[in-house]
C-alpha cells in the first residue's frame, strides 16, 4: 500500500470508516458459527493489542515522529487513535499494519468522555499527560465489564511522583507544578496498567524512580523497550523492580515493531485444540505462551514449539485440568474464558480459579445454554465435561467471553449465534474471516 498523508480530521474520518467496514456496534451484531469442522493450516498472529494501546499513549511523550509496525487494526486501537488525535497527535496508516504518528509541541490536556468511555486503556493517558502537561483532564475509563477495576494504584503512584489528582464530575483532574519528581513506589499488586502509567510518567521526571512489585507482562517489557528506543533510561522491565532515570525530553525518532499478541495466539491455539484440528501459528514468541502451552499439554493437547512458530493438534481424549489465573508468568486471566469452553468437553472435572478479575465468569451462563455443565461459586468455576455442546443463541458479555463462545460454537453440534459480536472486534482482527481461512464456517450478520 502507498503512503497516504492525512491530517487529524481526515485521520479521524479514516478511522471511523475502518470501524464501520470492519464491524463495530452498528454493523457487527452477531457471528454465526457452524460447528464440527476441524481447523487446519497456518496463520500469522497479529501484533499485541495491549502493547499497542500503551505504546500509542507513550507517543504523547515525544514531539518526534514514530513509525509503529505490526499494529493490529482492531476497534480498540482505532478508538485510541481517535483519542490521541484529539490531543493533537497526527496519526495515519502507512500500510495495513504500519502506523505513522507525529508528536506535537501543542499537546491538548483533555481526553473526552465520548471516547474514553469506550476504552479501559484510556487510563494510560494519565501518566504521559502528567509528565508533559501541568494540567490534564481524563474521563474515567470504560472498557470490559469484568470487575470493579479500581485505579487506586495509579493514583498512589502518580501522587508519589508529585502529581495532584482529583475526581470531579466523572473526570480525573491532574496537576503538577514543574516536573514530576522521581520517587520510590511500591505497588500493593503488580497491576499492568499502573506499572505502565508510572513508567511513562517517570521517564520525564526529575531524578530516579524505583518501581517495586511491578507487573512483568511481556507488554510491559515491550513498552519499556519502545520508551528506551525514544531515549528513555529504563532498566529492569520484566523483573519485580524497574529503575528509571528521568530525562528532560525523549528526542529520538523511532521505528518500532510491536510484539505478537500472546492472547490472540492463545485463543487460536485453544480454537485449534477445541475443533480437534492441526494449526501452525506463525509470528509468535513461544516463551510468552508457556503458561498456556503447559496447561494445554496437561489437557492432552499436542503443542510443538519452534523458534517463532507453534503447532497445536489434538490427540483424543481431552483431559480435565485445574487452572488458577495469576499475574505473568502465571496463567493469564485473558485466556480463562476460552479454556472454560475447551474444558467443557474434557472427560472429567476441571476447576478454574479466577484470581485477577472478580466478574470474569459471565461466560459460564452462556455455555450452560449450550449444554455445558459449569457451576460458579465465587471465584471458582467447576466444569464437568460433557460429550458435545449444542449450538444455540448466546451473547458475548466481554471481549474474551466472545472469543470463548466462538470456540464453543466450533465445538458444538449445529449452529451457534453469538450476539454482541462487536466485543470480539475490540481485540481480534477479522476473527471470523481468519478462522474461515483455517476451515471454519463463520458468518458475520
Ligand atoms: C491489563 C490488560 C488486560 C488484562 C489485565 C491483567 C491492557 C490494556 N489490559 O488490564 O487485558 O486482563 O492487564 O493481565 O493492558 N487493580 C487495583 N487497583 C489499581 C489497578 C488494578 O486494585 O489501581 C486491580 C484490578 O482491579 C485487577 C488487578 O488489579 O483486579 C489487575 O488489574 P491490572 O493488572 O491493572 O489490569 P489492567 O491494566 O486494567
Amino acid at each position: 500500500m502507498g503512503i497516504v498523508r492525512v491530517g487529524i480530521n481526515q485521520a479521524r474520518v479514516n478511522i471511523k470508516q475502518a470501524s464501520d467496514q470492519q464491524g463495530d456496534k452498528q454493523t457487527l451484531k452477531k457471528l454465526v458459527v457452524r460447528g464440527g469442522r476441524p481447523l487446519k493450516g497456518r496463520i500469522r498472529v497479529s501484533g499485541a493489542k495491549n502493547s499497542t494501546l500503551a505504546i500509542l499513549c507513550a507517543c504523547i511523550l515525544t514531539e518526534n515522529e514514530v513509525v509503529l509496525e505490526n499494529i493490529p487494526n482492531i476497534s480498540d486501537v482505532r478508538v485510541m487513535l481517535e483519542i490521541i488525535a484529539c490531543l493533537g497527535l497526527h496519526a495515519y496508516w502507512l500500510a495495513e499494519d504500519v502506523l505513522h504518528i507525529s508528536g506535537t509541541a501543542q499537546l491538548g490536556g483533555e481526553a473526552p468522555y465520548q471516547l474514553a468511555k469506550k476504552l479501559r486503556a484510556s487510563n494510560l493517558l494519565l501518566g504521559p499527560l502528567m509528565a508533559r502537561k501541568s494540567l490534564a483532564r481524563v474521563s474515567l475509563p470504560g472498557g470490559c465489564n469484568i470487575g470493579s477495576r479500581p485505579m487506586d494504584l495509579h493514583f498512589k503512584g502518580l501522587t508519589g511522583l508529585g502529581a495532584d489528582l482529583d475526581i470531579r464530575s466523572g473526570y480525573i483532574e491532574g496537576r503538577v507544578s514543574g516536573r514530576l519528581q522521581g520517587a520510590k513506589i511500591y505497588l500493593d499488586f503488580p497491576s499492568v496498567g499502573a506499572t505502565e502509567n508510572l513508567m511513562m510518567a517517570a521517564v520525564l521526571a526529575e531524578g530516579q524512580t524505583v518501581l517495586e512489585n511491578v507487573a512483568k507482562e511481556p507488554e510491559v517489557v515491550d513498552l519499556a523497550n519502545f520508551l528506551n528506543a525514544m531515549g528513555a533510561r529504563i532498566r529492569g522491565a520484566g523483573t519485580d523492580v524497574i529503575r528509571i532515570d528521568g530525562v528532560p525530553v525523549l528526542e529520538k525518532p523511532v521505528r518500532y515493531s510491536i510484539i505478537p499478541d500472546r492472547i490472540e495466539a492463545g485463543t487460536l491455539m485453544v480454537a485449534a485444540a477445541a475443533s480437534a484440528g492441526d494449526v501452525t501459528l506463525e509470528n509468535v514468541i513461544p516463551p510468552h505462551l508457556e503458561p498456556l502451552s503447559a496447561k494445554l499439554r496437561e489437557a492432552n493437547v499436542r503443542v510443538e514449539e519452534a523458534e517463532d512458530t507453534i503447532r497445536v493438534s489434538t490427540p483424543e481424549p481431552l483431559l480435565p485440568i485445574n487452572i488458577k489465573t495469576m499475574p505473568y508468568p502465571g496463567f493469564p486471566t485473558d485466556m480463562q474464558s476460552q479454556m472454560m469452553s475447551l474444558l467443557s468437553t474434557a472427560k472429567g472435572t476441571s476447576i478454574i480459579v479466577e484470581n485477577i478479575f472478580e466478574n470474569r465468569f459471565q461466560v459460564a451462563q452462556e455455555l450452560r445454554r449450550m449444554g455445558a455443565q459449569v457451576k460458579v461459586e465465587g471465584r471458582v468455576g467447576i466444569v464437568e465435561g460433557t460429550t458435545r455442546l449444542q449450538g444455540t443463541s448466546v451473547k458475548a458479555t466481554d471481549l474474551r467471553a466472545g472469543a470463548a463462545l466462538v470456540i464453543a460454537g466450533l465445538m458444538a453440534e449445529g449452529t451457534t449465534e453469538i450476539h454482541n459480536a462487536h466485543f470480539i472486534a475490540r481485540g481480534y482482527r477479522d476473527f471470523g474471516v481468519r478462522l474461515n481461512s483455517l476451515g471454519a464456517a463463520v458468518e458475520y450478520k
Side-chain angles (χ1 to χ4, degrees), residues 49-51 53 120-121 123-124 146 148-155 189-194 196 215 217 219 262 333-334 355-358 360 379 400:
K49 166 177 93 70
N50 288 348
S51 281
L53 295 174
R120 170 76 193 171
N123 64 5
L124 297 177
I146 52 177
S148 58
R149 305 186 87 167
M151 283 190 62
D152 54 316
L153 301 171
H154 302 243
F155 272 54
F189 183 88
S191 151
V192 174
E196 292 175 341
E217 268 69 0
E219 296 75 20
R262 65 195 165 98
T333 175
D334 285 350
N355 287 313
I356 309 294
F357 293 114
E358 70 272 18
R360 217 167 197 182
R379 288 184 175 255
R400 307 304 171 187

Side-chain angles (χ1 to χ4, degrees), residues 397-410:
T397 47
D398 65 70
L399 163 59
R400 307 304 171 187
L405 292 172
V406 173
I407 290 169
L410 296 172

Side-chain angles (χ1 to χ4, degrees), residues 82-219:
E82 287 193 72
I83 296 177
I84 64 169
C86 262
L87 296 169
L89 279 77
H90 291 249
Y92 57 90
W93 294 96
L94 284 172
E96 197 188 3
D97 61 353
V98 183
L99 270 174
H100 183 284
I101 318 267
S102 317
T104 177
Q106 310 293 323
L107 185 67
E110 177 158 336
Y113 172 69
Q114 279 315 322
L115 292 171
K117 71 170 183 186
K118 296 184 187 172
L119 192 59
R120 170 76 193 171
S122 54
N123 64 5
L124 297 177
L125 298 162
L126 207 55
L129 278 177
M130 292 318 298
R132 271 206 62 203
K133 300 278 295 181
S134 51
L135 278 176
R137 214 170 160 254
V138 177
S139 172
L140 279 168
C144 280
N145 178 28
I146 52 177
S148 58
R149 305 186 87 167
M151 283 190 62
D152 54 316
L153 301 171
H154 302 243
F155 272 54
K156 180 179 153 189
L158 288 169
T159 306
L161 295 176
D164 198 1
L165 297 170
D166 238 333
I167 296 183
R168 282 204 194 92
S169 314
Y171 277 76
I172 304 165
E173 295 189 351
R175 52 183 68 71
V176 59
S177 59
R179 272 172 81 185
L180 293 170
Q181 299 295 312
K184 189 167 175 174
I185 291 158
Y186 178 88
L187 296 182
D188 300 339
F189 183 88
S191 151
V192 174
T195 303
E196 292 175 341
N197 234 337
L198 296 177
M199 211 160 65
M200 290 189 277
V203 289
L204 294 184
E206 204 167 335
Q208 191 180 68
T209 298
V210 181
L211 303 175
E212 293 179 335
N213 195 31
V214 290
K216 295 181 278 200
E217 268 69 0
E219 296 75 20

Side-chain angles (χ1 to χ4, degrees), residues 54-55 58-59 61 128 131 161 194-205 207-212 214-250 252 256:
I55 285 175
C59 291
L61 291 164
L161 295 176
T195 303
E196 292 175 341
N197 234 337
L198 296 177
M199 211 160 65
M200 290 189 277
V203 289
L204 294 184
Q208 191 180 68
T209 298
V210 181
L211 303 175
E212 293 179 335
V214 290
K216 295 181 278 200
E217 268 69 0
E219 296 75 20
V220 170
V221 179
D222 209 21
L223 173 64
N225 288 340
F226 172 71
L227 291 165
N228 282 343
M230 289 204 298
R233 294 175 60 199
I234 303 172
R235 283 170 295 143
T239 73
D240 292 317
V241 181
I242 295 179
R243 287 190 168 73
I244 303 156
D245 290 306
V247 295
V249 281
L250 297 181
K252 294 190 199 157
Y256 189 82

Side-chain angles (χ1 to χ4, degrees), residues 44-57 68-78 80 93 97-99 119 121 124 192 196 217-223 226 256-268 282-285 288-289 328 334 399-400 425-429 434:
R44 190 183 153 80
V45 171
S46 314
K49 166 177 93 70
N50 288 348
S51 281
T52 302
L53 295 174
I55 285 175
L56 288 176
C57 291
L68 298 174
E69 298 170 350
N70 209 24
I71 299 288
N73 190 340
I74 49 177
S75 70
D76 270 10
V77 167
R78 294 192 293 271
M80 187 58 92
W93 294 96
D97 61 353
V98 183
L99 270 174
L119 192 59
L124 297 177
V192 174
E196 292 175 341
E217 268 69 0
E219 296 75 20
V220 170
V221 179
D222 209 21
L223 173 64
F226 172 71
Y256 189 82
S257 188
I258 307 286
I259 56 169
D261 195 311
R262 65 195 165 98
I263 307 300
E264 186 200 41
T267 303
L268 291 166
E282 296 169 352
N283 188 38
V284 290
I285 301 176
H288 291 175
L289 286 152
Y328 189 85
D334 285 350
L399 163 59
R400 307 304 171 187
R426 293 185 56 170
Y428 296 92
R429 180 172 61 86
R434 281 157 66 67

